[in-house]
């Protein structure tokens, strides 16, 4: 098969982790007889510096023409510390999500047996946790208008908006996900306070009869934040609006032991995007110390979602798992920093595994 992938490495550690993920993609492609064609494009602060636009039109065109997008990270402290900056790297990510119609962000959470002791949570609570958070990605407060500040500068506002169409399509996808998994769906909202949440809850209840096999529960987001940490094993599929999903998935990463382990897929109307859930980690940029596993596991999702190539995906997961068992890990996963491997050395290990193991 011909694999035509757009590569948007972005800022901070983005280029380092994406480089390793691409090497793994290449190794897997070679092993299974696929022909990989990748095209690099600018996004984030690097795109602002080069073009003034964090998601240039040329980048969008490349994404639209590709089968899938492999995305690193965006963000730069230069902008974080300047609230008056008119153009921000994050706008590039949001513009990409909107223009590609990526309304569903799928963030699976599993625990790796060899990392159980890396989580601050008790092993018996997290061992075997396996759920997926489906985060709505192109609506809510991230995109609602008006957003801004009053003329005197003393009042500011964001708007949370959801339409029936937006809620229905993400819930449909979530019900279908639940059907393919353990048939349990948790709808996370704040229906006791927010009008948008009440619309979500109403629509979910209307849809329930279409999926009689799915056990649906409704949970307020504050309660969900607590239960996620206390009883992570009780969840199967969780669906929630944009902002709640952003927060809950960072929280959930604690269960896996490191933010550096969580992949994601963003799917919707046009080309799908595969990216780690973590950010650009500017403190580590250029140091070759960041964990590439979340991005490598995002490539596994890419093979699965963009091409339905399950064996390729399984091999990548097996390789990552083997690297963890072998202790071939970056410093976020070692107690003794002197034993940590660099980003590229972890990449070497995983590529080597892919090359030598049976398909
Ligand atoms: C994420 C990130 C982004 C978000 C930021 C970088 C805009 O935190 O993908 O979770 O909030 O969606
Ligand atoms: Mg986030």
């Amino acid at each position: 098969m011909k694999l035509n992938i757009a590569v948007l490495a972005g800022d901070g550690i983005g280029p380092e982790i994406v480089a390793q993920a691409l090497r793994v993609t290449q190794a897997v492609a070679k092993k299974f007889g696929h022909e990989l064609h990748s095209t690099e494009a600018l996004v984030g602060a690097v795109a602002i510096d080069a073009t003034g636009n964090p998601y240039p039109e040329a980048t969008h065109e490349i994404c639209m023409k590709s089968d899938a997008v492999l995305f690193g990270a965006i963000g730069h402290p230069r902008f974080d510390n300047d609230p008056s900056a008119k153009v921000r790297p994050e706008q590039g990510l949001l513009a990409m999500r909107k223009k590609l119609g990526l309304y569903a962000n799928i963030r699976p959470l599993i625990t790796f047996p060899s990392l159980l002791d890396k989580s601050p949570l008790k092993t018996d609570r997290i061992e075997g946790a396996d759920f997926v958070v489906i985060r709505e990605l192109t609506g809510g407060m991230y995109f609602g208008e008006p957003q801004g500040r009053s003329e005197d500068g003393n009042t500011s506002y964001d708007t949370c908006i959801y339409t029936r169409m937006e809620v229905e399509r993400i819930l449909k996808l979530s019900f279908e996900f639940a059907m393919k998994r353990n048939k349990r769906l948790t709808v996370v909202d704040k229906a006791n306070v927010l009008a948008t949440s009440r619309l979500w809850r109403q629509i979910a209840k209307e849809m329930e009869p279409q999926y009689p096999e799915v056990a649906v529960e409704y949970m307020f987001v504050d309660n969900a934040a607590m239960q996620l940490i206390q009883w992570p094993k009780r969840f199967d599929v969780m669906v929630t609006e944009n902002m709640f999903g952003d927060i809950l998935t960072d929280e959930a990463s604690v269960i896996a032991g490191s933010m550096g382990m969580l992949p994601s897929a963003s799917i919707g109307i046009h080309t799908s995007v595969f990216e780690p859930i973590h950010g650009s980690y500017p403190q580590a940029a250029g140091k070759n110390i960041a964990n590439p596993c979340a991005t490598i596991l995002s490539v596994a999702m890419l093979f699965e979602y963009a091409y339905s190539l399950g064996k390729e995906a399984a091999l990548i997961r097996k390789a990552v798992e083997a690297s963890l068992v072998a202790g071939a890990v970056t410093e976020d996963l070692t107690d003794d920093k002197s034993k940590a491997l660099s980003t590229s050395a972890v990449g070497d290990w995983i590529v080597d595994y892919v090359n030598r193991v049976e398909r």
Side-chain angles (χ1 to χ4, degrees):
M1 193 184 270
K2 279 202 170 125
L3 314 176
N4 188 12
I5 297 174
V7 179
L8 277 53
D11 305 321
I13 57 169
E16 297 160 57
I17 52 178
V18 163
Q20 300 315 314
L22 255 187
R23 290 176 63 210
V24 174
T25 315
Q26 183 68 62
V28 171
K30 196 167 159 226
K31 178 148 220 145
F32 288 84
H34 305 303
E35 194 184 311
L36 175 66
H37 180 73
S38 60
T39 312
E40 289 183 18
L42 295 173
V43 74
V46 287
I48 296 177
D49 292 342
T51 71
N53 180 348
Y55 184 59
E57 197 48 42
T59 299
H60 182 58
E61 273 169 31
I62 291 171
C63 292
M64 288 294 283
K65 280 193 215 134
S66 304
D67 309 328
V69 178
L70 178 61
F71 191 97
I74 49 116
H76 195 284
R78 189 168 90 225
F79 297 92
D80 297 343
N81 300 326
D82 176 10
S84 68
K86 290 269 176 301
V87 188
R88 319 183 70 83
E90 287 76 8
Q91 289 165 345
L93 181 59
L94 299 191
M96 180 184 75
R97 288 173 179 170
K98 199 68 171 181
K99 289 177 92 170
L100 293 177
L102 305 171
Y103 62 82
N105 181 219
I106 297 163
R107 297 186 162 182
L109 188 295
I110 54 166
T111 49
F112 298 89
S114 45
L115 295 185
L116 286 170
D117 64 329
K118 295 293 172 299
S119 174
L121 303 171
K122 292 196 177 80
T123 294
D124 65 313
R125 294 294 172 107
I126 59 173
E127 195 170 19
D130 176 356
F131 60 89
V132 44
V133 181
I134 300 183
R135 168 188 176 194
E136 200 291 328
L137 204 58
T138 52
M141 243 190 314
Y142 274 60
F143 293 95
E145 296 282 350
Q147 181 190 61
R149 197 180 277 224
S150 64
E151 257 169 39
D152 68 5
N154 292 330
T155 308
S156 56
Y157 41 89
D158 299 284
T159 308
C160 189
I161 299 188
Y162 271 105
T163 63
R164 171 173 283 272
M165 182 276 288
E166 289 173 315
V167 178
E168 270 173 3
R169 68 183 176 186
I170 190 83
L171 287 173
K172 179 168 184 286
L173 189 136
S174 307
F175 272 108
E176 285 164 4
F177 238 86
M179 281 302 288
K180 283 188 233 137
R181 290 182 46 108
N182 295 320
K183 301 194 170 80
R184 287 183 288 118
L185 178 64
T186 308
V187 180
V188 178
D189 64 25
K190 189 73 185 172
N192 49 349
V193 178
L194 301 177
T196 40
S197 285
R198 287 192 283 273
L199 180 68
W200 274 71
R201 201 175 271 219
Q202 180 195 326
I203 294 174
K205 285 194 188 284
E206 285 167 16
M207 291 173 77
E208 269 190 53
Q210 293 171 44
Y211 303 90
E213 287 175 59
V214 178
V216 185
E217 67 173 345
Y218 297 86
M219 197 178 275
F220 296 140
V221 64
D222 45 353
N223 183 18
M226 185 263 286
Q227 299 225 24
L228 200 61
I229 291 299
Q230 203 160 19
W231 312 109
K233 284 187 259 191
R234 72 188 292 298
F235 295 106
D236 180 22
V237 178
M238 302 175 91
V239 58
T240 192
E241 67 92 53
N242 202 343
M243 173 86 122
F244 296 161
D246 179 45
I247 299 168
L248 289 180
T249 50
D250 264 32
E251 188 196 5
S253 74
V254 172
I255 300 164
S258 168
M259 277 275 270
M261 295 307 299
L262 291 207
S264 85
S266 299
I267 63 177
I269 298 165
H270 302 293
T271 317
S272 300
V273 173
F274 301 86
E275 58 170 315
I277 84 150
H278 61 69
S280 58
Y281 191 14
Q283 307 86 324
K287 294 191 182 153
N288 200 20
I289 57 171
N291 186 346
C293 288
T295 319
I296 293 171
L297 291 168
S298 299
V299 172
M301 294 187 85
L302 184 155
F303 274 105
E304 205 165 37
Y305 286 72
Y307 298 106
S308 301
L309 293 172
K311 285 194 184 128
E312 287 78 344
L315 176 57
I316 294 175
R317 295 194 179 108
K318 195 165 129 187
V320 169
E321 182 91 55
S323 73
L324 301 175
V325 172
V329 293
T330 42
E331 63 174 37
D332 52 312
L333 296 177
T334 44
D335 298 322
D336 175 0
K337 273 200 182 180
S338 69
K339 296 214 176 93
L341 296 192
S342 65
T343 309
S344 53
V346 170
D348 290 342
W349 200 100
I350 293 172
V351 166
D352 180 59
Y353 183 93
V354 168
N355 287 338
R356 71 188 147 78
V357 82
E358 294 273 313
R359 279 172 43 166

